[in-house]
Amino acid sequence: MHADSRFSDRVVDYAKHRPGYPAEVIDFILRELGLERGSVVADLGSGTGIFSALLLDRGLEVHAVEPNGPMRAAAEGALGAREGFRSHDGSAERTGLPSASVDAVVAAQAFHWFDPLPARAECQRVLRPTTAGANVALVWNARRESGTPFLDGYERLLRTTSVDYGEVRHQSVLTSGALESFFGATPSRWSTPSEQVFDWDGLRGRAASSSYVPAAGDPRHDAFFAGLRELFDRTNQSGLVRFEYDVDVQYGRL
């Protein structure tokens, strides 16, 4: 399935159950990219608008660029009435934005779907010339894959019962050279911990939001969610389990 359509049948779960980002992440990005109220930012691969909403909260003008129609429609429904929000049917490689029109580019949980060199050229085209400082930040909620019985079991379940987890997980970009190709050098890196706490319904929705988890109709669907239920029953504490994350920010100047 093409990246532009992978999440079309998962929009509701994605918008409801995917993690947000701690305030210190937004503080860091605004500081490192020299942004303030009224600054103009392109949010590439903006999805359902989770990251765009946090930038709007800080008074930025956000051009949300998203190729997936259902996800873009979800963002427009949630954010369309907010001052400063602009939605675009486009991609990282072809944003449709005017040249030299934005102060910075961000991408949250999205860069691993980009074609690095065309995306680099497009970002260079739409960025306004500046004299110094970073102007691009790539952000991921990197789920910890081990450390608790629940995290150990969830990772094992993904590796044995998912669709194409090993191929599409974002961690592959860290060793593929894609970041260096995009930035033209090794980017700077910063991280901070975060977490989500789920009951059973929340955990089921969080899992279903991932494109590599078998969808209804897939022959692996029932086995995956039976395994997930068994894992929850075995590892929950007072009816809750925790996803632990390291919010990973890769940033630099193009």
Side-chain angles (χ1 to χ4, degrees):
M1 184 183 295
H2 193 275
D4 291 358
S5 57
R6 284 185 70 100
F7 295 95
S8 295
D9 59 349
R10 304 172 190 263
V11 170
V12 173
D13 285 321
Y14 198 105
K16 184 176 181 180
H17 297 293
R18 281 298 179 106
Y21 300 86
E24 55 263 35
V25 173
I26 308 302
D27 292 341
F28 178 84
I29 290 173
L30 266 58
R31 182 172 65 251
E32 292 300 318
L33 273 58
L35 301 173
E36 57 189 6
R37 295 187 70 85
S39 294
V40 182
V41 177
D43 182 4
L44 304 186
S46 50
T48 61
I50 294 171
F51 202 74
S52 292
L54 299 176
L55 300 176
L56 292 170
D57 289 344
R58 301 301 185 94
L60 276 65
E61 180 179 322
V62 180
H63 290 265
V65 179
E66 172 56 49
N68 182 289
M71 296 190 82
R72 189 172 62 253
E76 291 168 354
L79 304 175
R82 294 193 57 175
E83 182 178 356
F85 178 74
R86 308 286 185 270
S87 181
H88 302 270
D89 178 3
S91 65
E93 299 80 13
R94 296 189 66 178
T95 64
L97 298 177
S99 297
S101 60
V102 302
D103 299 308
V105 169
V106 299
Q109 214 70 28
F111 176 79
H112 51 291
W113 300 113
F114 298 175
D115 191 344
L117 290 178
R120 171 182 168 84
E122 179 68 349
C123 289
Q124 289 175 321
R125 184 185 68 80
V126 302
L127 281 163
R128 292 170 177 161
T130 56
T131 57
N135 55 11
V136 177
L138 310 176
V139 188
W140 286 273
N141 274 306
R143 176 180 48 81
R144 294 179 182 173
E145 299 172 358
S146 62
T148 69
F150 169 71
L151 293 176
D152 293 345
Y154 190 73
E155 181 68 13
R156 185 162 53 250
L157 184 64
L158 289 177
R159 291 185 178 276
T160 57
T161 322
S162 66
V163 179
D164 54 1
Y165 174 64
E167 290 75 25
V168 303
R169 56 203 295 268
H170 83 266
Q171 287 87 344
S172 62
V173 305
L174 300 179
T175 56
S176 68
L179 287 168
E180 291 76 10
S181 295
F182 177 75
F183 282 103
T186 301
S188 298
R189 186 176 186 181
W190 176 87
S191 67
T192 191
S194 185
E195 69 174 15
Q196 280 181 298
V197 180
F198 290 120
D199 60 11
W200 165 245
D201 288 339
L203 174 62
R204 182 181 177 86
R206 173 63 179 85
S209 76
S210 296
S211 67
Y212 42 72
V213 167
D218 187 296
R220 293 160 290 192
H221 173 83
D222 290 348
F224 179 89
F225 283 98
L228 188 66
R229 181 74 218 203
E230 186 279 328
L231 176 64
F232 178 84
D233 290 343
R234 177 166 49 85
T235 61
N236 80 82
Q237 297 183 345
S238 301
L240 300 172
V241 293
R242 296 177 185 272
F243 271 24
E244 298 176 9
Y245 300 96
D246 293 296
V247 186
D248 184 19
V249 182
Q250 306 270 353
Y251 64 102
R253 178 177 176 79
L254 297 188

